[in-house]
């Protein structure tokens, strides 16, 4: 199957700093990617839809200035957590849509962010 | 707004026993439903989608619009089926904007 890769898989940062997480579709082009947040023992919460070449669409309650999303190419979307605080500590997961044979969604392995 | 409900957080069965993971949905449009599975320390992956009407790893799921359900079933559970299972609804058409249920952790005991 198709591969979506996230980097870094784990990151620890100090409060107030910014952290960038990358999501790459390795063997297909993705005009649409998604970013989710997963709290411990809870479901995935969709944060935003990342559209190649245009602004991301954020879900209600997600601060766009806090979580900056850039989808500059058909294989890369980035999520930057700006001025991170401990409450931003979470597991962030991305997915990418491969539009072949009806389409399918492929997930990255996730990135664990810990803000001290 | 769409909603996906998985009423069981945890489900434990013995190997060889039948298993059913429940999923109910609420959506005003025509639903497209999926089951995703996450094995320990692995990424989320598609198990099956209702439009395919296929059986994957012995699992099946039938969309029941009258009961707004999409329960996942397997007649004989195996230990390797132990995983987290998420039911998801696509409200984004070809963009696959998914709404996930909270997940059910299935444990198959030897």
């Amino acid at each position: 199957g198709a591969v979506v890769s996230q980097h870094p898989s784990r990151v620890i940062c100090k409060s107030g700093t910014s952290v960038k997480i990358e999501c790459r579709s390795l063997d297909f082009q993705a005009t649409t990617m998604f970013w989710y947040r997963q709290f411990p023992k809870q479901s995935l919460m969709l944060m935003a839809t990342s559209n190649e070449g245009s602004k991301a669409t954020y879900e209600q309650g997600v601060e766009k200035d806090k979580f900056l999303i850039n989808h500059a190419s058909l294989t890369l979307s980035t999520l930057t957590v700006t001025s991170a605080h401990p409450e931003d500590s979470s597991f962030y997961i991305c997915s990418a849509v491969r539009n072949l044979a009806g389409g399918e969604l492929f997930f990255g392995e996730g990135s664990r962010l810990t803000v001290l | 707004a769409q909603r996906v409900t998985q009423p069981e957080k945890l489900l434990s069965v013995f190997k060889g026993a039948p298993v059913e993971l429940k999923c109910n949905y609420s959506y005003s449009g025509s639903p497209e439903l999926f089951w995703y599975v996450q094995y320990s320390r692995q990424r989320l992956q598609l198990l099956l989608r209702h439009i395919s009407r296929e059986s994957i790893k012995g699992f099946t799921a039938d969309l029941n619009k009258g009961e707004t359900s999409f329960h996942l079933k397997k007649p004989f559970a195996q230990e390797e089926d132990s995983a987290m299972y998420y039911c998801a609804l696509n409200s984004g058409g070809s963009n696959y904007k998914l709404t996930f249920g909270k997940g059910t952790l299935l444990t198959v005991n030897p």
Side-chain angles (χ1 to χ4, degrees), chain A residues 56-116:
Chain A
T57 307
Y58 290 82
E59 295 300 301
Q60 192 173 11
V62 178
E63 298 176 62
K64 59 180 67 175
D65 295 329
K66 173 76 170 174
F67 299 100
L68 299 178
I69 291 171
N70 183 277
H71 194 152
S73 78
L74 287 170
T75 59
L76 174 63
S77 175
T78 61
L79 168 68
T80 302
V81 182
T82 64
S83 187
H85 288 100
E87 57 264 30
D88 299 325
S89 298
S90 192
F91 197 57
Y92 293 89
I93 300 173
C94 75
S95 67
V97 180
R98 185 182 69 173
N99 291 112
L100 288 176
E104 191 170 339
L105 200 59
F106 293 90
F107 286 82
E109 62 268 60
S111 299
R112 170 79 57 196
L113 170 63
T114 303
V115 184
L116 302 177

Side-chain angles (χ1 to χ4, degrees), chain B residues 1 12-13 26 29 37 47 49 54 58 63 73 75 79 105-106 110:
Chain B
S12 182
V13 301
S26 172
V37 61
L47 181 62
R49 55 173 67 179
E54 56 192 346
L63 177 62
K73 300 178 184 179
E79 289 181 67
L105 180 61
L106 173 65

Side-chain angles (χ1 to χ4, degrees), chain A residues 43-58:
Chain A
S43 186
L44 284 77
M45 182 193 78
L46 179 64
M47 298 174 65
T49 304
S50 175
N51 305 298
E52 187 270 334
S54 64
K55 290 184 179 180
T57 307
Y58 290 82

Side-chain angles (χ1 to χ4, degrees), chain A residues 3-4 32 34 36 38 42-44 46 49 59 97 99 102-105 107-109, chain B residues 9 32 36 38 42-46 49 84 86 94-98 100-103:
Chain A
V3 179
V4 174
T32 303
F34 298 97
Y36 310 83
Q38 187 175 33
Q42 296 191 33
S43 186
L44 284 77
L46 179 64
T49 304
E59 295 300 301
V97 180
N99 291 112
E104 191 170 339
L105 200 59
F107 286 82
E109 62 268 60
Chain B
K9 273 191 176 180
E32 186 178 4
Y36 283 86
Q38 188 171 28
Q42 294 188 29
R43 69 187 69 198
L44 222 64
Q45 56 184 289
L46 178 66
R49 55 173 67 179
M84 192 74 173
Y86 293 96
S94 60
N95 280 341
Y96 288 89
K97 182 178 174 181
L98 299 182
F100 286 87
K102 292 190 175 181

Side-chain angles (χ1 to χ4, degrees), chain B residues 39-78:
Chain B
Y39 299 102
S40 180
R41 295 193 180 88
Q42 294 188 29
R43 69 187 69 198
L44 222 64
Q45 56 184 289
L46 178 66
L47 181 62
L48 54 81
R49 55 173 67 179
H50 90 268
I51 58 173
S52 300
R53 301 186 67 82
E54 56 192 346
S55 173
I56 303 293
K57 299 184 179 182
F59 285 97
T60 58
D62 291 317
L63 177 62
N64 186 322
K65 291 187 178 181
E67 295 182 359
T68 59
S69 68
F70 188 56
H71 303 328
L72 183 67
K73 300 178 184 179
K74 185 169 182 176
F76 307 104
Q78 302 300 315

